[in-house]
Amino acid sequence: MTRNDSQQGQNPQLTTRQGHPVHDNQNSRTIGSRGPMTLENYQFIEKLSHFDRERVPERVVHARGAGAHGVFRATGKVGDEPISRYTRAKLFQEEGKETPVFVRFSTVGHGTHSPETLRDPRGFAVKFYTEDGNWDMVGNNLKVFFIRDALKFPDLIHSQKPSPTTNIQSQERIFDFFAGTPEAMHMITLLYSPWGIPATYRHMQGSGVNTYKWYNAQGEGVLVKYHWEPKQGIRNLTQDEADRIQATNFNHASQDLHDAIERGDYPEWDLYVQIMEDHDHPELDFDPLDDTKVWPTDQFPFRHVGTMTLNRNPENVFAETEQACFGTGVLVDGLDFSDDKMLQGRTFSYSDTQRYRVGSNYLQLPINRPKCQVASNQRDGQMAYYVDTFDGQDARVNYEPSVLSGPKEAPREHNPHTPYVEGKLVREAIERANNFGQAGQQYREFADWERDELINNLSGALAGVDSRIQQKMLEYFYACDEDYGRRVEESIQAKESQLQEVAPAPYGRETSSKQGPISSSPPTEQSAISIQLSP
């Protein structure tokens, strides 16, 4: 039985799991349309907390991953300016200061043993073990995302995952969701271009995607975006190149990263930031907190702040790469959240997922434990194997305040960052959506071969899907750029004509024996096919 008998015969109506009608499933409850969100967001918390627990024990997203240890070296500046003007975060302050890091690269939508050649965003998560505790920068290879409100994240991922009835992924399901999500056009344009399949983890960019904040010793804040640029150069694959690699090696990206580090060819990335004053910037045709948009570099240039080098492979993949736990809320002094609704939703979801997937004491695992003193007064729970106390602490005292023992509140060295928030509590979309402008600009900036690949991939995905979905997506493509829409439409028509002419061939070949082999012999070795990775 798939539903309660009491629901039989009723008109379909979206509800919470408590049976409460859902009147708005597009927007979280926020103070003003730009945010921030509020903790009493019951519909959001119920939806996301259940979504975080949908898989056991594999990650719901970012299941397939590879990791490495390394070090981050700061320049002490942001571009040519002293970095202390913008942030008091200690890891950035001194030229040459080194901070240990662990990085996990991943595919997003597919399972643990899926090929690394699939068209999919790539995760780029960095854990900095700073003197003030951990800082996790959790992002992707592409600089934008599909949605701008975390309330829609379970819906997005459900559409990308296999059907619950066939266990097969379907382009129709994927584009059925996108047909009602015009904000996804920028990400779709990137994902179905060659940028949708990075050649290796070493040759891909990283981005924080969301808008964060920095604040200085005076408590003054600015908006900031993070960007990792590979010093090895950027390489992506066409679909044909990816297919050829997948035919012989579905672990190619993990193997490439591991082998490069083993031979001493340590990959490096420069970290850049873009900085913007902290207000709503009415002069822009988009909201700077919208994660489906990039900030134009002519107005907000990239500024170099340091370099990361990966120089050591994990000794145990499960203990390190698979149990590494990241969260967008893991920030140190001098770094902060913005009101970005997607970021605030991720901040709840990530750490909640880790407590479910790995356990309530996941921060006691060596790969996740800070390298500074921890004294939290938190106790017990699943798999607790030590207590967060300091030398000489009376173990009977697990509370604060206490005149007997226990950790004391840290003295405040600087002014706190106290952003001003005002507005009605509403469920509203942001005012400056501009869903198609940057997607069209990206299409026009692609090289000819990148546009050709984009059109071929999109039309191949859309050929044969429900005509209502096709028409809606074509409406979006035309809104982005007239040539974009026309070419996708013509290519869909051509591919559908081919599909009608060619019947699918059966898998395999008929064997000559009805009985099967009398004896078996070991297969002959096949030589690996060398694939040239295209820049």
Side-chain angles (χ1 to χ4, degrees):
M1 181 177 292
T2 59
R3 59 181 181 178
N4 295 333
D5 291 340
S6 61
Q7 292 178 307
Q8 298 285 345
Q10 296 184 7
N11 292 326
Q13 177 177 273
L14 187 64
T15 73
T16 69
R17 302 202 91 185
Q18 298 281 13
H20 305 153
V22 173
H23 302 290
D24 186 345
N25 193 44
Q26 313 309 314
N27 303 290
S28 300
R29 201 174 187 208
T30 55
I31 300 174
S33 64
R34 302 181 71 240
M37 294 171 62
T38 55
L39 185 60
E40 46 76 31
N41 243 303
Y42 180 77
Q43 176 191 340
F44 168 80
I45 290 175
E46 182 184 66
K47 183 176 182 179
L48 267 289
S49 60
H50 182 274
F51 173 72
D52 294 343
R53 292 161 171 79
E54 284 189 358
R55 300 290 186 273
V56 182
E58 180 180 289
R59 287 171 166 91
V60 178
V61 289
H62 300 278
R64 175 78 198 250
H69 298 267
V71 64
F72 175 78
R73 294 180 181 85
T75 64
K77 297 180 179 180
V78 53
D80 296 327
E81 297 182 89
I83 204 164
S84 58
R85 177 181 175 184
Y86 299 102
T87 179
R88 64 199 196 206
K90 294 178 183 176
L91 80 158
F92 289 126
Q93 299 304 312
E94 302 171 20
E95 182 180 359
K97 184 178 180 65
E98 295 188 351
T99 301
V101 299
F102 181 80
V103 179
R104 188 176 188 272
F105 305 102
S106 57
T107 55
V108 174
H110 306 287
T112 301
H113 296 292
S114 57
E116 292 180 308
T117 46
L118 297 179
R119 187 171 304 281
D120 199 18
R122 267 53 172 179
F124 195 126
V126 184
K127 187 179 294 292
F128 297 79
Y129 302 96
T130 86
E131 62 197 277
D132 280 340
N134 291 349
W135 169 35
D136 292 349
M137 188 199 297
V138 192
N140 291 335
N141 64 314
L142 301 175
K143 298 182 184 301
V144 295
F145 200 57
F146 298 100
I147 54 176
R148 59 171 70 99
D149 193 313
L151 186 69
K152 300 304 297 176
F153 193 65
D155 299 301
L156 165 67
I157 299 302
H158 284 172
S159 74
Q160 312 295 302
K161 292 286 190 179
S163 163
T165 59
T166 66
N167 200 34
I168 298 171
Q169 285 176 298
S170 161
Q171 293 294 331
E172 185 165 86
R173 284 168 46 81
I174 290 170
F175 279 95
D176 188 25
F177 175 81
F178 289 152
T181 313
E183 69 208 62
M185 287 308 303
H186 194 176
M187 184 65 161
I188 291 170
T189 300
L190 288 166
L191 184 62
Y192 282 82
S193 78
W195 291 80
I197 311 179
T200 75
Y201 293 133
R202 292 187 302 127
H203 294 93
M204 75 179 195
Q205 297 169 301
S207 171
V209 180
N210 296 108
T211 301
Y212 289 83
K213 281 187 181 181
W214 277 359
Y215 57 90
N216 59 21
Q218 291 73 45
E220 301 164 338
V222 293
L223 301 177
V224 64
K225 276 185 176 284
Y226 298 106
H227 304 278
W228 293 107
E229 297 294 325
K231 299 186 79 167
Q232 300 75 237
I234 303 169
R235 292 185 176 185
N236 299 306
L237 299 176
T238 64
Q239 187 63 61
D240 180 64
E241 289 169 329
D243 291 343
R244 288 157 57 201
I245 294 173
Q246 184 174 321
T248 60
N249 185 355
F250 63 88
N251 307 289
H252 81 285
S254 293
Q255 181 177 347
D256 174 84
L257 178 66
H258 176 275
D259 292 354
I261 293 174
E262 284 298 295
R263 66 175 178 263
D265 185 11
Y266 301 140
E268 294 183 314
W269 286 261
D270 285 323
L271 178 61
Y272 295 87
V273 297
Q274 290 176 283
I275 294 175
M276 185 185 293
E277 292 181 358
D278 185 12
H279 59 81
D280 59 357
H281 289 269
E283 77 280 4
L284 299 174
D285 63 2
F286 65 94
D287 193 307
L289 303 185
D290 183 354
D291 67 351
T292 70
K293 305 295 189 295
V294 295
W295 295 356
T297 55
D298 57 341
Q299 299 178 60
F300 310 100
F302 278 28
R303 305 188 192 189
H304 189 221
V305 296
T307 301
M308 177 175 69
T309 304
L310 300 184
N311 54 24
R312 180 166 62 89
N313 282 311
E315 296 180 5
N316 184 287
V317 172
F318 178 77
E320 296 165 74
T321 304
E322 291 313 302
Q323 293 198 115
C325 297
F326 300 87
T328 55
V330 185
L331 305 173
V332 296
D333 186 56
L335 314 178
D336 205 355
F337 315 97
S338 74
D339 293 339
D340 180 341
K341 289 191 275 188
M342 190 67 197
L343 172 61
Q344 296 198 348
R346 292 176 73 199
T347 296
F348 163 74
S349 189
Y350 271 71
S351 295
D352 185 55
T353 299
Q354 313 303 358
R355 285 186 286 271
Y356 165 68
R357 189 180 67 87
V358 180
S360 56
N361 287 293
Y362 71 95
L363 289 171
Q364 291 189 347
L365 296 174
I367 192 64
N368 299 316
R369 187 181 183 186
K371 298 187 183 299
C372 60
Q373 174 68 56
V374 175
S376 67
N377 280 335
Q378 293 183 348
R379 296 288 188 273
D380 308 332
Q382 183 184 25
M383 298 298 291
Y385 63 98
Y386 63 83
V387 179
D388 294 339
T389 56
F390 56 84
D391 291 342
Q393 180 177 343
D394 186 338
R396 297 173 299 174
V397 178
N398 61 347
Y399 49 86
E400 189 283 326
S402 170
V403 298
L404 301 175
S405 183
K408 308 298 182 186
E409 292 178 327
R412 188 176 296 280
E413 299 177 2
H414 304 288
N415 294 330
H417 178 52
T418 56
Y420 180 73
V421 177
E422 180 184 18
K424 293 182 178 180
L425 202 59
V426 298
R427 286 185 181 274
E428 292 181 359
I430 62 173
E431 284 80 8
R432 288 170 287 165
N434 197 358
N435 293 319
F436 308 114
Q438 289 195 0
Q441 179 182 353
Q442 181 64 74
Y443 173 79
R444 292 185 290 275
E445 289 180 355
F446 278 146
D448 288 343
W449 74 271
E450 290 177 309
R451 280 195 293 270
D452 293 343
E453 183 75 6
L454 170 67
I455 300 302
N456 187 57
N457 292 332
L458 281 172
S459 58
L462 285 164
V465 308
D466 188 291
S467 61
R468 292 168 294 180
I469 297 173
Q470 288 181 349
Q471 289 304 311
K472 196 64 180 177
M473 293 308 304
L474 287 171
E475 176 187 321
Y476 294 163
F477 295 134
Y478 275 109
C480 293
D481 184 276
E482 183 74 19
D483 183 68
Y484 192 177
R486 178 187 56 79
R487 290 188 63 185
V488 173
E489 183 172 20
E490 292 174 352
S491 189
I492 289 174
Q493 293 171 352
K495 281 186 165 56
E496 289 191 330
S497 297
Q498 294 172 1
L499 289 173
Q500 293 173 359
E501 296 172 0
V502 181
Y507 292 110
R509 291 185 293 178
E510 185 175 354
T511 57
S512 58
S513 171
K514 301 294 185 183
Q515 184 176 350
I518 304 300
S519 62
S520 61
S521 58
T524 58
E525 291 188 3
Q526 295 181 344
S527 60
I529 298 176
S530 176
I531 300 296
Q532 179 65 42
L533 303 178
S534 298

